[in-house]
Amino acid sequence: NASKFVFMHIEDYKPGKQEVKGFDLWLLSKMEKLVKSSTESFEQYEYAQTKSEVEKFFWHVFCDNYLEIVKDRLYNPEVRGKEERKSAQTGLYIGILNTLKMMAPILPHITEEVYQLWFAKIEKNKSVHLSSWPEPDLQYVNEDNEKVGDLLVEVIAKVRKAKTEKSLSMKAPVKELVLDLNEDDVKDFVEDLKAVTKAERVSFAKKLAIKL
């Protein structure tokens, strides 16, 4: 299902160098470090560690958070901008492709099925099992960006919890979201944060506050 969602939104995407920031850089920074650690795990025959780390990334980083965070940019390029959508497409493309390749030796059949749906014709390989193993692209590794992204993912979780506790829909607006973070540090994340939390206003103070 995650793959089909991705394919629906990358039909017009052409792989290539793309400047990314905010949550896209957050995702790719984690992905590139995962590629590096998974490669090392495979070389040391520690397959269970690779399986555990990739599954954790796919379910909790990619599916639970990233896909939800970028939906607004994917569905509303006329508002958010075409470049913003393209940046999200880069995250989707690299995220799902590298996940498929790292899981292919462990889950050979479903990864092959998903690969044939889209990537075979793009990568010109007959099979995911004949494709090249992903190489870590260190240009995307950014520890500072990752830390800010992690903190904001925690904020998103707290907003979801606050809405649930008040029996509100996840689409219910947040009148004001007050962040206990540096404004300059989160500037590349704010629009996505507002979209995913439905926050009408984001402000900054010494204590986090969610005003419903």
Side-chain angles (χ1 to χ4, degrees):
N1 287 338
S3 298
K4 287 180 178 179
F5 174 84
V6 170
F7 299 153
M8 181 172 69
H9 290 286
I10 62 172
E11 289 183 350
D12 60 340
Y13 176 71
K14 295 181 180 179
K17 293 295 181 181
Q18 168 72 28
E19 182 181 355
V20 295
K21 57 186 179 181
F23 282 110
D24 303 326
L25 184 56
W26 169 78
L27 176 89
L28 293 178
S29 183
K30 289 183 178 296
M31 165 56 74
E32 299 308 336
K33 290 196 297 186
L34 178 62
V35 169
K36 185 176 183 296
S37 65
S38 293
T39 302
E40 292 169 355
S41 295
F42 263 114
E43 290 175 345
Q44 295 168 12
Y45 305 103
E46 296 175 351
Y47 311 125
Q49 184 174 338
T50 295
K51 180 178 181 292
S52 175
E53 290 182 354
V54 177
E55 283 183 343
K56 183 179 179 181
F57 169 86
F58 179 69
W59 286 114
H60 300 298
V61 177
F62 193 76
C63 293
D64 288 349
N65 287 295
Y66 186 69
L67 292 186
E68 293 301 317
I69 288 167
V70 299
K71 278 182 179 178
D72 186 62
R73 278 189 280 145
L74 296 171
Y75 285 116
N76 300 298
E78 68 283 352
V79 176
R80 299 296 302 277
K82 292 182 179 180
E83 287 303 312
E84 291 292 322
R85 179 172 179 268
K86 188 175 180 181
S87 180
Q89 288 176 314
T90 300
L92 294 177
Y93 186 93
I94 296 175
I96 202 72
L97 177 59
N98 284 357
T99 297
L100 285 173
K101 289 184 175 184
M102 286 186 288
M103 289 301 287
I106 299 165
L107 296 170
H109 301 295
I110 185 61
T111 51
E112 177 68 6
E113 182 73 19
V114 174
Y115 188 84
Q116 292 299 327
L117 284 174
W118 185 264
F119 291 110
K121 62 184 178 183
I122 303 298
E123 290 214 316
K124 311 298 183 185
N125 290 310
K126 291 183 178 180
S127 167
V128 68
H129 305 293
L130 295 175
S131 66
S132 59
W133 184 259
E135 294 282 343
D137 191 342
L138 299 182
Q139 70 162 329
Y140 290 128
V141 176
N142 188 309
E143 297 289 350
D144 291 337
N145 184 280
E146 256 193 81
K147 289 177 182 177
V148 175
D150 287 342
L151 290 171
L152 293 177
V153 165
E154 290 179 13
V155 171
I156 293 169
K158 288 177 181 178
V159 171
R160 289 171 175 166
K161 182 180 179 182
K163 289 182 178 181
T164 299
E165 289 175 347
K166 292 203 171 190
S167 300
L168 295 173
S169 164
M170 289 299 115
K171 294 182 179 180
V174 173
K175 294 179 181 178
E176 185 176 13
L177 182 57
V178 183
L179 301 178
D180 55 347
L181 299 169
N182 185 288
E183 186 172 358
D184 287 338
D185 291 342
V186 302
K187 63 182 180 181
D188 292 333
F189 297 84
V190 168
E191 292 305 314
D192 279 341
L193 182 66
K194 289 172 68 176
V196 75
T197 61
K198 307 303 179 187
E200 296 175 349
R201 182 170 180 265
V202 172
S203 60
F204 299 85
K206 292 184 178 180
K207 187 177 180 180
L208 175 69
I210 302 166
K211 300 179 182 180
L212 297 170

